[in-house]
Amino acid sequence: MFYKKKIGNGALCIIISFILISVSGTIARADVAPADVIDAAKEGLKLFKQDSFNLQFCSPEEWKSIRLGSGFEMLTISADQLLGPDKAHLNPESVGEMESREKRFHQLAKPALQWRFFVRAGDRAVALIYVGWTGNAWKCTGIGSAGIAGEMSEILRTYPESDGYTHRFIRIYEAKSDFVCLSRHQNRKDVPGYLPLLSARIALDINHGDETGKQLIYEDEFINPLRSIVRKASGRSQ
């Protein structure tokens, strides 16, 4: 479900999604994100707070004390990156060379020029502030994604940075799927696990019962079904 609402002269659009189809990046404290990204998030929060755009994120009393929490950069993997060149148009030597250079899923991720910041009410994450690169500047582009805010907050509690975990948020647009790449070591040989968010669990038909969203899966468990979805969505035959 999506809602859009213009603010003032229509320059800013709020996009709220409670179940979202729906990074070099890890979950980052707001004070270590680029300064202009943080400034854009702060300005956006001021606007939403002043205009009382609560939209049932939390109680009216809680909304009065909302604050900006930590932020994370979004990464993405394009269809071409995930699927590689169309092998039907390559000679056998080229195919072999390409496959020998194949990277793992997390190594294909590139910055999406998007950041998200938690909007916190008390000790709860009730929404996300959207910041994107637009018009040659970082700007706040919306507020919403209460569902993702809750999922990400729970992931950070279960796998805290204080225990040595690093987190990368990866969105596959063609598959309408979000993942958190989780690693506990900086060792290059470390094989990261993945936490599929609700969007990915729906797309890939993953059911972990009561532990949904907490159990790690690994690349070989989801990469082929994910590629099939992306191949179909992008109209690729191979």
Short mmCIF file of all heavy atoms in Angstrom, two decimals, residues 156-193:
data_model
loop_
_atom_site.label_atom_id
_atom_site.label_comp_id
_atom_site.label_asym_id
_atom_site.label_seq_id
_atom_site.Cartn_x
_atom_site.Cartn_y
_atom_site.Cartn_z
N LEU A 156 19.07 -5.15 13.96
CA LEU A 156 20.18 -4.52 14.67
C LEU A 156 20.21 -4.92 16.14
O LEU A 156 21.28 -4.97 16.75
CB LEU A 156 20.10 -3.00 14.54
CG LEU A 156 20.31 -2.45 13.13
CD1 LEU A 156 20.15 -0.93 13.11
CD2 LEU A 156 21.68 -2.84 12.60
N ARG A 157 19.06 -5.23 16.71
CA ARG A 157 19.02 -5.72 18.09
C ARG A 157 19.53 -7.16 18.17
O ARG A 157 20.24 -7.53 19.11
CB ARG A 157 17.60 -5.64 18.66
CG ARG A 157 17.19 -4.27 19.15
CD ARG A 157 15.93 -4.35 20.01
NE ARG A 157 14.77 -4.77 19.23
CZ ARG A 157 13.92 -3.94 18.63
NH1 ARG A 157 14.12 -2.64 18.72
NH2 ARG A 157 12.89 -4.40 17.96
N THR A 158 19.16 -7.95 17.18
CA THR A 158 19.54 -9.36 17.19
C THR A 158 21.01 -9.56 16.83
O THR A 158 21.68 -10.43 17.39
CB THR A 158 18.66 -10.15 16.20
OG1 THR A 158 17.27 -9.93 16.51
CG2 THR A 158 18.96 -11.65 16.28
N TYR A 159 21.50 -8.75 15.90
CA TYR A 159 22.88 -8.84 15.43
C TYR A 159 23.55 -7.47 15.59
O TYR A 159 23.79 -6.76 14.63
CB TYR A 159 22.93 -9.27 13.96
CG TYR A 159 22.25 -10.60 13.68
CD1 TYR A 159 20.95 -10.65 13.19
CD2 TYR A 159 22.93 -11.80 13.89
CE1 TYR A 159 20.34 -11.87 12.93
CE2 TYR A 159 22.33 -13.02 13.64
CZ TYR A 159 21.02 -13.05 13.16
OH TYR A 159 20.42 -14.26 12.89
N PRO A 160 23.86 -7.08 16.83
CA PRO A 160 24.35 -5.73 17.08
C PRO A 160 25.77 -5.49 16.59
O PRO A 160 26.62 -6.39 16.57
CB PRO A 160 24.28 -5.60 18.61
CG PRO A 160 24.44 -7.01 19.09
CD PRO A 160 23.73 -7.87 18.09
N GLU A 161 26.01 -4.25 16.21
CA GLU A 161 27.35 -3.84 15.79
C GLU A 161 28.34 -4.02 16.94
O GLU A 161 29.53 -4.31 16.72
CB GLU A 161 27.30 -2.37 15.35
CG GLU A 161 28.55 -1.90 14.64
CD GLU A 161 28.40 -0.46 14.16
OE1 GLU A 161 28.13 0.41 15.02
OE2 GLU A 161 28.54 -0.21 12.96
N SER A 162 27.87 -3.87 18.17
CA SER A 162 28.74 -4.02 19.34
C SER A 162 29.30 -5.43 19.48
O SER A 162 30.30 -5.65 20.15
CB SER A 162 27.98 -3.64 20.62
OG SER A 162 26.84 -4.48 20.79
N ASP A 163 28.65 -6.41 18.84
CA ASP A 163 29.14 -7.78 18.84
C ASP A 163 30.00 -8.08 17.61
O ASP A 163 30.33 -9.25 17.35
CB ASP A 163 27.97 -8.77 18.88
CG ASP A 163 27.34 -8.87 20.27
OD1 ASP A 163 27.91 -8.29 21.21
OD2 ASP A 163 26.28 -9.50 20.39
N GLY A 164 30.34 -7.04 16.87
CA GLY A 164 31.22 -7.22 15.72
C GLY A 164 30.54 -7.42 14.39
O GLY A 164 31.20 -7.69 13.38
N TYR A 165 29.22 -7.28 14.34
CA TYR A 165 28.51 -7.48 13.08
C TYR A 165 28.56 -6.22 12.21
O TYR A 165 28.50 -5.09 12.72
CB TYR A 165 27.04 -7.83 13.34
CG TYR A 165 26.83 -9.20 13.93
CD1 TYR A 165 26.55 -9.35 15.29
CD2 TYR A 165 26.92 -10.33 13.14
CE1 TYR A 165 26.36 -10.61 15.84
CE2 TYR A 165 26.73 -11.60 13.69
CZ TYR A 165 26.45 -11.73 15.04
OH TYR A 165 26.27 -12.98 15.58
N THR A 166 28.65 -6.43 10.93
CA THR A 166 28.47 -5.34 9.96
C THR A 166 27.28 -5.69 9.09
O THR A 166 26.97 -6.87 8.86
CB THR A 166 29.72 -5.15 9.07
OG1 THR A 166 30.01 -6.37 8.39
CG2 THR A 166 30.92 -4.74 9.91
N HIS A 167 26.60 -4.65 8.61
CA HIS A 167 25.35 -4.84 7.88
C HIS A 167 25.37 -4.02 6.60
O HIS A 167 25.79 -2.87 6.60
CB HIS A 167 24.16 -4.37 8.72
CG HIS A 167 24.21 -4.78 10.16
ND1 HIS A 167 25.04 -4.17 11.09
CD2 HIS A 167 23.54 -5.75 10.84
CE1 HIS A 167 24.87 -4.73 12.27
NE2 HIS A 167 23.97 -5.69 12.15
N ARG A 168 24.92 -4.63 5.52
CA ARG A 168 24.76 -3.91 4.25
C ARG A 168 23.35 -4.14 3.73
O ARG A 168 22.92 -5.29 3.60
CB ARG A 168 25.80 -4.38 3.23
CG ARG A 168 27.18 -3.81 3.46
CD ARG A 168 28.23 -4.47 2.58
NE ARG A 168 28.53 -5.82 3.08
CZ ARG A 168 29.49 -6.59 2.57
NH1 ARG A 168 30.21 -6.16 1.57
NH2 ARG A 168 29.73 -7.78 3.08
N PHE A 169 22.67 -3.06 3.41
CA PHE A 169 21.29 -3.13 2.92
C PHE A 169 21.32 -3.16 1.40
O PHE A 169 21.80 -2.23 0.77
CB PHE A 169 20.51 -1.92 3.43
CG PHE A 169 19.04 -1.94 3.09
CD1 PHE A 169 18.11 -2.34 4.04
CD2 PHE A 169 18.59 -1.55 1.84
CE1 PHE A 169 16.76 -2.36 3.74
CE2 PHE A 169 17.23 -1.56 1.53
CZ PHE A 169 16.32 -1.97 2.48
N ILE A 170 20.80 -4.24 0.82
CA ILE A 170 20.83 -4.41 -0.64
C ILE A 170 19.41 -4.55 -1.17
O ILE A 170 18.65 -5.43 -0.74
CB ILE A 170 21.66 -5.65 -1.03
CG1 ILE A 170 23.09 -5.54 -0.48
CG2 ILE A 170 21.68 -5.82 -2.55
CD1 ILE A 170 23.93 -6.79 -0.70
N ARG A 171 19.07 -3.71 -2.13
CA ARG A 171 17.74 -3.75 -2.76
C ARG A 171 17.88 -4.21 -4.20
O ARG A 171 18.68 -3.67 -4.97
CB ARG A 171 17.07 -2.38 -2.70
CG ARG A 171 15.77 -2.31 -3.51
CD ARG A 171 14.97 -1.08 -3.15
NE ARG A 171 14.47 -1.19 -1.77
CZ ARG A 171 13.82 -0.20 -1.14
NH1 ARG A 171 13.62 0.97 -1.75
NH2 ARG A 171 13.39 -0.39 0.09
N ILE A 172 17.09 -5.21 -4.58
CA ILE A 172 17.01 -5.68 -5.96
C ILE A 172 15.68 -5.17 -6.51
O ILE A 172 14.62 -5.72 -6.24
CB ILE A 172 17.08 -7.22 -6.05
CG1 ILE A 172 18.29 -7.76 -5.27
CG2 ILE A 172 17.14 -7.65 -7.52
CD1 ILE A 172 19.63 -7.25 -5.77
N TYR A 173 15.75 -4.10 -7.29
CA TYR A 173 14.53 -3.44 -7.74
C TYR A 173 13.67 -4.35 -8.61
O TYR A 173 12.44 -4.39 -8.46
CB TYR A 173 14.87 -2.15 -8.49
CG TYR A 173 15.35 -1.04 -7.59
CD1 TYR A 173 16.70 -0.78 -7.42
CD2 TYR A 173 14.43 -0.24 -6.90
CE1 TYR A 173 17.13 0.24 -6.58
CE2 TYR A 173 14.85 0.78 -6.06
CZ TYR A 173 16.20 1.02 -5.91
OH TYR A 173 16.63 2.02 -5.08
N GLU A 174 14.29 -5.07 -9.55
CA GLU A 174 13.51 -5.90 -10.46
C GLU A 174 12.75 -7.01 -9.73
O GLU A 174 11.70 -7.45 -10.18
CB GLU A 174 14.41 -6.51 -11.54
CG GLU A 174 14.98 -5.52 -12.54
CD GLU A 174 16.25 -4.85 -12.02
OE1 GLU A 174 16.64 -5.11 -10.85
OE2 GLU A 174 16.86 -4.09 -12.78
N ALA A 175 13.30 -7.47 -8.63
CA ALA A 175 12.65 -8.54 -7.86
C ALA A 175 11.83 -7.99 -6.70
O ALA A 175 11.23 -8.78 -5.95
CB ALA A 175 13.70 -9.51 -7.32
N LYS A 176 11.83 -6.67 -6.54
CA LYS A 176 11.09 -6.05 -5.44
C LYS A 176 11.47 -6.71 -4.11
O LYS A 176 10.60 -7.09 -3.32
CB LYS A 176 9.58 -6.13 -5.69
CG LYS A 176 9.14 -5.44 -6.97
CD LYS A 176 7.66 -5.60 -7.23
CE LYS A 176 7.26 -4.93 -8.55
NZ LYS A 176 5.82 -5.11 -8.85
N SER A 177 12.78 -6.83 -3.89
CA SER A 177 13.27 -7.58 -2.74
C SER A 177 14.41 -6.85 -2.03
O SER A 177 15.31 -6.32 -2.69
CB SER A 177 13.78 -8.96 -3.19
OG SER A 177 12.74 -9.72 -3.76
N ASP A 178 14.37 -6.85 -0.71
CA ASP A 178 15.42 -6.26 0.11
C ASP A 178 16.10 -7.33 0.95
O ASP A 178 15.44 -8.23 1.47
CB ASP A 178 14.83 -5.20 1.06
CG ASP A 178 14.28 -3.99 0.32
OD1 ASP A 178 14.76 -3.72 -0.79
OD2 ASP A 178 13.38 -3.33 0.87
N PHE A 179 17.42 -7.19 1.09
CA PHE A 179 18.22 -8.10 1.90
C PHE A 179 19.15 -7.28 2.79
O PHE A 179 19.59 -6.19 2.41
CB PHE A 179 19.09 -9.02 1.03
CG PHE A 179 18.35 -9.90 0.08
CD1 PHE A 179 17.96 -9.43 -1.16
CD2 PHE A 179 18.06 -11.21 0.43
CE1 PHE A 179 17.28 -10.25 -2.06
CE2 PHE A 179 17.38 -12.04 -0.45
CZ PHE A 179 16.99 -11.56 -1.70
N VAL A 180 19.50 -7.84 3.94
CA VAL A 180 20.60 -7.32 4.73
C VAL A 180 21.72 -8.34 4.68
O VAL A 180 21.52 -9.50 5.07
CB VAL A 180 20.19 -7.04 6.19
CG1 VAL A 180 21.42 -6.69 7.02
CG2 VAL A 180 19.19 -5.90 6.24
N CYS A 181 22.87 -7.92 4.16
CA CYS A 181 24.05 -8.77 4.11
C CYS A 181 24.75 -8.64 5.46
O CYS A 181 25.12 -7.54 5.86
CB CYS A 181 24.96 -8.34 2.97
SG CYS A 181 26.53 -9.23 2.90
N LEU A 182 24.92 -9.75 6.14
CA LEU A 182 25.46 -9.75 7.50
C LEU A 182 26.80 -10.45 7.54
O LEU A 182 26.96 -11.57 7.05
CB LEU A 182 24.48 -10.45 8.43
CG LEU A 182 24.74 -10.35 9.94
CD1 LEU A 182 24.47 -8.94 10.43
CD2 LEU A 182 23.86 -11.35 10.68
N SER A 183 27.78 -9.77 8.13
CA SER A 183 29.12 -10.35 8.29
C SER A 183 29.62 -10.01 9.69
O SER A 183 29.25 -8.98 10.25
CB SER A 183 30.07 -9.77 7.23
OG SER A 183 31.36 -10.30 7.39
N ARG A 184 30.48 -10.88 10.21
CA ARG A 184 30.97 -10.63 11.57
C ARG A 184 32.47 -10.38 11.60
O ARG A 184 33.02 -10.05 12.63
CB ARG A 184 30.62 -11.79 12.49
CG ARG A 184 30.66 -11.40 13.96
CD ARG A 184 30.12 -12.46 14.87
NE ARG A 184 30.00 -11.99 16.24
CZ ARG A 184 29.52 -12.70 17.24
NH1 ARG A 184 29.08 -13.92 17.02
NH2 ARG A 184 29.46 -12.20 18.46
N HIS A 185 33.12 -10.54 10.49
CA HIS A 185 34.56 -10.37 10.45
C HIS A 185 34.94 -9.55 9.23
O HIS A 185 34.24 -9.53 8.23
CB HIS A 185 35.27 -11.73 10.40
CG HIS A 185 34.87 -12.66 11.49
ND1 HIS A 185 35.30 -12.51 12.79
CD2 HIS A 185 34.05 -13.73 11.49
CE1 HIS A 185 34.77 -13.46 13.53
NE2 HIS A 185 34.01 -14.22 12.77
N GLN A 186 36.08 -8.91 9.30
CA GLN A 186 36.59 -8.16 8.16
C GLN A 186 37.44 -9.05 7.25
O GLN A 186 37.88 -8.63 6.19
CB GLN A 186 37.44 -6.98 8.65
CG GLN A 186 36.65 -5.96 9.45
CD GLN A 186 35.51 -5.36 8.64
OE1 GLN A 186 35.65 -5.10 7.47
NE2 GLN A 186 34.37 -5.16 9.30
N ASN A 187 37.65 -10.28 7.69
CA ASN A 187 38.44 -11.22 6.91
C ASN A 187 37.81 -11.43 5.54
O ASN A 187 36.62 -11.72 5.44
CB ASN A 187 38.52 -12.56 7.65
CG ASN A 187 39.51 -13.51 7.01
OD1 ASN A 187 39.68 -13.54 5.80
ND2 ASN A 187 40.18 -14.30 7.86
N ARG A 188 38.58 -11.30 4.49
CA ARG A 188 38.05 -11.44 3.14
C ARG A 188 37.49 -12.84 2.88
O ARG A 188 36.68 -13.03 1.98
CB ARG A 188 39.14 -11.13 2.11
CG ARG A 188 39.51 -9.66 2.04
CD ARG A 188 40.46 -9.41 0.89
NE ARG A 188 40.78 -7.99 0.78
CZ ARG A 188 41.54 -7.48 -0.19
NH1 ARG A 188 42.05 -8.28 -1.11
NH2 ARG A 188 41.79 -6.20 -0.24
N LYS A 189 37.95 -13.83 3.64
CA LYS A 189 37.48 -15.19 3.44
C LYS A 189 36.14 -15.42 4.12
O LYS A 189 35.52 -16.47 3.95
CB LYS A 189 38.51 -16.18 3.96
CG LYS A 189 39.83 -16.16 3.17
CD LYS A 189 40.80 -17.21 3.71
CE LYS A 189 42.10 -17.20 2.91
NZ LYS A 189 43.06 -18.21 3.43
N ASP A 190 35.70 -14.47 4.90
CA ASP A 190 34.43 -14.61 5.60
C ASP A 190 33.29 -14.71 4.59
O ASP A 190 33.20 -13.91 3.66
CB ASP A 190 34.21 -13.42 6.53
CG ASP A 190 32.89 -13.51 7.27
OD1 ASP A 190 32.60 -14.58 7.80
OD2 ASP A 190 32.17 -12.50 7.31
N VAL A 191 32.43 -15.70 4.74
CA VAL A 191 31.28 -15.86 3.86
C VAL A 191 30.07 -15.22 4.53
O VAL A 191 29.61 -15.71 5.56
CB VAL A 191 31.00 -17.35 3.57
CG1 VAL A 191 29.75 -17.48 2.70
CG2 VAL A 191 32.20 -17.99 2.90
N PRO A 192 29.57 -14.12 3.99
CA PRO A 192 28.46 -13.44 4.65
C PRO A 192 27.15 -14.21 4.51
O PRO A 192 26.95 -14.96 3.56
CB PRO A 192 28.39 -12.11 3.90
CG PRO A 192 28.92 -12.41 2.54
CD PRO A 192 29.99 -13.44 2.75
N GLY A 193 26.29 -14.02 5.49
CA GLY A 193 24.94 -14.54 5.41
C GLY A 193 23.99 -13.41 5.06
O GLY A 193 24.37 -12.23 5.07
#
